[in-house]
Amino acid sequence: MIRIRLPEALALVREHFKPLLFTATMDSPQTIQAMLLDELTGESLVLTGLPCGAAVSRAQLSRLISVIELDVIALRPALLERLKERQIAI
């Protein structure tokens, strides 16, 4: 199984959520803390305890993106609505 190192994995997550700004840092050996920011409105969301190690498989990366999306839908759905609106406009 091919593993993706954390910096590359986070770059893929960042690309997935563009044009929102995505940043993340390790908060334990197996979890990260992430923030999504809509630079146009200033709305942001910080998520902690997201499962992610120093290297992940493609399946783990997909689950990480899904967990982030589900948390955003539950806590700040307008962030993803604006993201989808901008992706359609592009």
Side-chain angles (χ1 to χ4, degrees):
M1 171 179 12
I2 296 176
R3 310 244 338 138
I4 304 165
R5 292 180 332 117
L6 185 62
E8 289 82 14
L10 295 179
L12 292 170
V13 176
R14 196 172 297 113
E15 191 65 31
H16 177 82
F17 285 106
K18 269 188 177 177
L20 298 177
L21 178 65
F22 173 85
T23 59
T25 57
M26 296 292 293
D27 61 357
S28 82
Q30 295 301 315
T31 61
I32 61 170
Q33 175 178 328
M35 183 189 70
L36 281 169
L37 171 67
D38 183 336
E39 293 180 298
L40 292 179
T41 65
E43 186 171 7
S44 66
L45 177 63
V46 175
L47 303 168
T48 60
L50 298 170
C52 186
V56 297
S57 68
R58 290 252 179 221
Q60 289 169 320
L61 180 60
S62 179
R63 280 192 299 272
L64 174 62
I65 289 171
S66 293
V67 165
I68 293 169
E69 287 177 343
L70 289 172
D71 284 349
V72 172
I73 289 167
L75 300 169
R76 293 270 194 310
L79 273 175
L80 284 185
E81 289 170 15
R82 282 191 294 275
L83 171 67
K84 289 178 181 163
E85 288 171 7
R86 287 189 208 143
Q87 288 173 341
I88 292 170
I90 293 175

